[in-house]
Amino acid sequence: MLILKPADIRPSEITSEANYLNRRQFIKAGAMAGGAALSAPASSAIVPAERGAKLDGIGASRFSTDEPANSFEDITTYNNYYEFGTGKGDPAKNAQGFRTRPWTIAVDGHAEKTGPIDFDDFVKPFDLEERIYRMRCVEAWSMVIPWVGISLADVVKHFRPTSKAKYVAFETLLDPVQMPGQRRRVLDWPYREGLTIAEATHPLSILAVGLYGEVLPNQNGAPVRLVVPWKYGFKGIKGIVRMSFVESMPRTSWNMAAPHEYGFYANVNPEVDHPRWSQARERRIGAGVFSSKQPTRMFNGYAEQVAHLYTGLDLRKHY
Ligand SMILES: Nc1nc2c(c(=O)[nH]1)N[C@H]1C(S)=C(S)[C@@H](COP(=O)(O)O)O[C@H]1N2
Ligand SMILES: [Mo]
């Protein structure tokens, strides 16, 4: 057995480990709650409004990676959320007072069920699951994040899109009073993203409402954000207030800002470089100063599950 001297243990590992033990406990609790409610229909997701509140009834996921997760500290202090500033430390500082209740999500477009829906009602019909996913930012760094979320496929099916719905488009809140970054035209606000219906109904796509078993911190996209683990991080739109079922490919913020650098698909691809840097390798945040960069894997390591979505598509052209 390998015994580490305290000096060899990085603070990030200690945080990770403490959280990992908590995680095992809440997953057990979730499994027990499930067992007790065998005769009841699907559970309902309840997401408390209070910052840092524990989430109950979380199931484990067969889709989780067993790579060690980044620490809570790494995940909540090194962020991209331009509505709260462009520095990695800005969202953690500037999003603290952000109000996530009341929160309404507009569901519109080609679906049988549409309309404004209160966030608490929006999540209620679904099951909460922990999904430990690799996240690869287009800036060539990566993390492993234990999200708590609901299946986006379940959400899409719930609203019963019609055959005209070929894409799902998402929008972030537009509120320059609360979001200081929106007072500058860094991007064309509100932040926008989109997926094909096939991508949105793939079992790996989730809407995250928590991380490390707690309510999602504001800097990570509270109360709800998208997580699509085979795509670059910018697809993971935060603070979602609109979900639209649309017929044509929606415009997306980074593609609008720099179309030659950011495409609609944004699949993680070590063979297609960003015009200004290589995408072949990535730096795992928190991995220590002596660790070198690691190779980036096709579709961020999820190729077996998702490559079939793109057969026949030229991934150099459709980056
Ligand atoms: N609304 C909004 N969503 C956003 C962004 C943003 O600036 N605004 N940044 C994206 C980028 S580039 C990344 S890498 C991820 C980062 O998510 P994290 O801070 O939770 O790790 O959020 C994405 N979602
Ligand atoms: Mo990113």
Side-chain angles (χ1 to χ4, degrees), residues 2 10 12 26 37-38 58 82-83 96 133 140 148 157 171 177 179 186 214 222 244 269 271 279 303 306-307 314:
L2 176 69
R10 296 184 302 271
S12 62
F26 73 69
L38 266 184
I58 303 168
Y82 278 19
E83 286 85 339
Q96 288 317 306
Y133 282 162
V148 179
K157 283 170 202 155
E171 271 179 32
V177 175
M179 295 171 141
V186 200
E214 293 180 4
S244 308
N269 190 340
E271 288 158 25
Q279 292 294 16
V306 302
D314 180 352

Side-chain angles (χ1 to χ4, degrees), residues 123-136:
V123 290
K124 209 170 271 171
F126 309 107
D127 294 321
L128 282 184
E129 257 186 45
E130 184 184 64
R131 303 280 189 103
I132 309 172
Y133 282 162
R134 285 179 290 276
M135 197 269 278
R136 170 61 159 79

Side-chain angles (χ1 to χ4, degrees), residues 80 137-139 233-234:
N80 270 336
C137 179
V138 73
E139 296 163 276
F234 68 85

Side-chain angles (χ1 to χ4, degrees), residues 60-95:
S61 169
R62 64 199 168 96
F63 295 115
S64 286
T65 171
D66 52 17
E67 283 173 80
N70 277 90
S71 67
F72 184 82
E73 159 122 37
D74 286 343
I75 299 168
T76 58
T77 59
Y78 192 89
N79 300 102
N80 270 336
Y81 199 170
Y82 278 19
E83 286 85 339
F84 293 102
T86 54
K88 300 289 179 251
D90 290 344
K93 272 184 271 155
N94 300 334

